[in-house]
Amino acid sequence: MDSTTVAPRFSVLDRSRTRAGRPQAEALQETVRFAREVEGLGYHRFWVSEHHSVPGVAGSAPTVLAAAVAAATRRIRVGTGGVMLPNHRPLVVAEQFGVLESLFPGRIDMGLGRSVGFTDGIRRALGTDKGAADGFGAQLAELIGYFAGTQTVHPQVHARPAEGLSVPAFVLATGAGAEIAAEAGLALVIGDVRGREALLRAVERYRAGFRPSVMWERPYVVVSATVAVAATTEDARRLLLPEAWAMAYSRTRGVFPPLEPVADVLAREASMTAKEREFYEAAQRGHIHGTADEVRAGMADLLGATGADELLVTTSTYDRAAQLDSYRRLAAVAELGGAPVTAPARPA
């Protein structure tokens, strides 16, 4: 694949976040509608995620959801961010993506991660354990081998209809993920969660160790980030608060909850414990948010520092209209050529 680009691409990862008081099914239906909306704005990819037994996330079967998204859209690339290989057999994953690519040729991406379930109970239910992530590199090689028809782990076994198809593979970097992606010659997806210096070191290691493959001729870096754009800096900050509170809740109670309205989160601030406030404030840092000019400067800094080929935006909030408005404004900032920015409604 020739991944040379003139300017960074902009894409979307939607985690099908549930909302307090709303049915889980609605979150999945909204993901499909959201994909159609961002396609119209000019975004390059739309990815969905994999989470198991998480009250705040309805997206548990990414290849199934990706099929629904691809069927509802026409141009935008569709994929996973990502399928967690330790939870699956590589043969089955290859077959699933082979079916997707056969149904929607030239539009499917295969984002792959090495995370396992959040708790011992979830890991047991998935038939895996904490140590399963250590075998990610071998699983990845087996999976790619099914597409190339070269895997040797299970002689005479072929993945139908995946064999012979070309589905771009991306590695979601956690821990040793950057090195694994480089050695396999695959694209890298990495976030800023451990700080800017750690991000830059990982990207540098990836580029230095990259080995060209049949999928990617050169290193390809996708940086994931939360980006919130609004008419004012304060309105943009308010978009971040439902997710920030959900993060603080999960860090203090061990359960990641549905998103709550901004007004409810603000009402909680005075009664937060010291530990909750610490996590709540930490969850608001490190994101790109503000007016169009502020976000333009923040993205230029991030993309300039990393030399990224693509920005994968993961923003979510309780107010769906405000969320879409942020993505519209971002599309305008990035000059994606989609719909014009509309007058905003203040986040609820």
Side-chain angles (χ1 to χ4, degrees):
M1 170 181 295
D2 182 3
S3 55
T4 302
T5 56
V6 175
R9 291 164 167 161
F10 288 79
S11 298
V12 176
L13 169 63
D14 187 73
R15 291 182 293 147
S16 301
R17 292 289 274 113
T18 59
R19 269 70 176 178
R22 305 301 305 171
Q24 294 184 59
E26 183 179 90
L28 297 171
Q29 294 159 2
E30 287 291 339
T31 289
V32 176
R33 282 194 284 269
F34 186 45
R36 289 198 296 264
E37 291 165 339
V38 299
E39 178 180 52
L41 296 174
Y43 286 91
H44 182 61
R45 307 180 202 277
F46 188 93
W47 283 4
V48 296
S49 62
E50 176 183 337
H51 296 274
H52 299 282
S53 191
V54 179
V57 183
S60 57
T63 54
V64 177
L65 185 52
V69 169
T73 54
R74 300 175 58 189
R75 174 197 55 79
I76 196 168
R77 296 193 64 88
V78 177
T80 55
V83 166
M84 299 299 141
L85 270 186
N87 299 334
H88 308 279
R89 294 290 187 180
L91 172 63
V92 175
V93 175
E95 290 171 338
Q96 291 173 343
F97 278 96
V99 169
L100 284 170
E101 176 64 19
S102 298
L103 293 173
F104 310 101
R107 292 181 57 207
I108 300 301
D109 299 323
M110 185 166 57
L112 306 162
R114 61 195 295 269
S115 296
V116 294
F118 295 122
T119 68
D120 289 337
I122 296 172
R123 289 189 286 269
R124 285 194 296 270
L126 290 169
T128 188
D129 54 44
K130 281 186 177 181
D134 296 336
F136 177 69
Q139 281 192 307
L140 187 63
E142 180 183 342
L143 172 61
I144 300 305
Y146 281 120
F147 284 90
T150 59
Q151 74 83 24
T152 58
V153 179
H154 301 286
Q156 298 181 335
V157 175
H158 300 268
R160 313 288 188 197
E163 190 170 307
L165 297 181
S166 178
V167 179
F170 301 71
V171 173
L172 280 62
T174 57
E179 288 79 4
I180 293 172
E183 184 176 352
L186 303 179
L188 175 73
V189 182
I190 188 168
D192 207 357
V193 292
R194 291 181 175 84
R196 181 62 58 86
E197 290 303 316
L199 169 66
L200 296 179
R201 288 195 299 270
V203 170
E204 183 179 358
R205 291 196 306 272
Y206 166 72
R207 290 197 175 107
F210 184 83
R211 300 178 180 178
S213 69
V214 294
M215 287 192 172
W216 297 94
E217 297 175 355
R218 69 170 185 89
Y220 191 90
V221 175
V222 181
V223 173
S224 64
T226 295
V227 182
V229 197
T232 69
T233 305
E234 177 58 20
D235 282 350
R237 186 188 75 86
R238 287 163 62 94
L239 286 173
L240 303 176
L241 298 185
E243 191 76 33
W245 169 244
M247 184 61 69
Y249 189 99
S250 71
R251 296 295 296 273
T252 54
R253 294 168 176 81
V255 177
F256 198 72
L259 296 173
E260 296 184 6
V262 171
D264 292 358
V265 176
L266 290 172
R268 291 178 180 277
E269 289 186 342
S271 61
M272 287 182 188
T273 66
K275 187 61 68 174
E276 286 173 343
R277 181 167 293 281
E278 177 186 345
F279 288 127
Y280 176 67
E281 292 177 351
Q284 296 177 56
R285 293 193 289 267
H287 306 309
I288 300 173
H289 76 282
T291 64
D293 287 342
E294 290 170 331
V295 166
R296 184 179 292 107
M299 290 195 307
D301 178 62
L302 175 62
L303 294 171
T306 60
D309 300 278
E310 188 168 334
L311 185 68
L312 181 67
V313 183
T314 63
T315 310
S316 59
T317 192
Y318 180 88
D319 188 323
R320 297 182 190 279
Q323 179 186 21
L324 179 58
D325 181 70
S326 176
Y327 276 92
R328 285 196 186 105
R329 291 176 180 273
L330 177 58
V333 170
E335 299 180 351
L336 301 185
V341 175
T342 58
R346 187 176 180 85

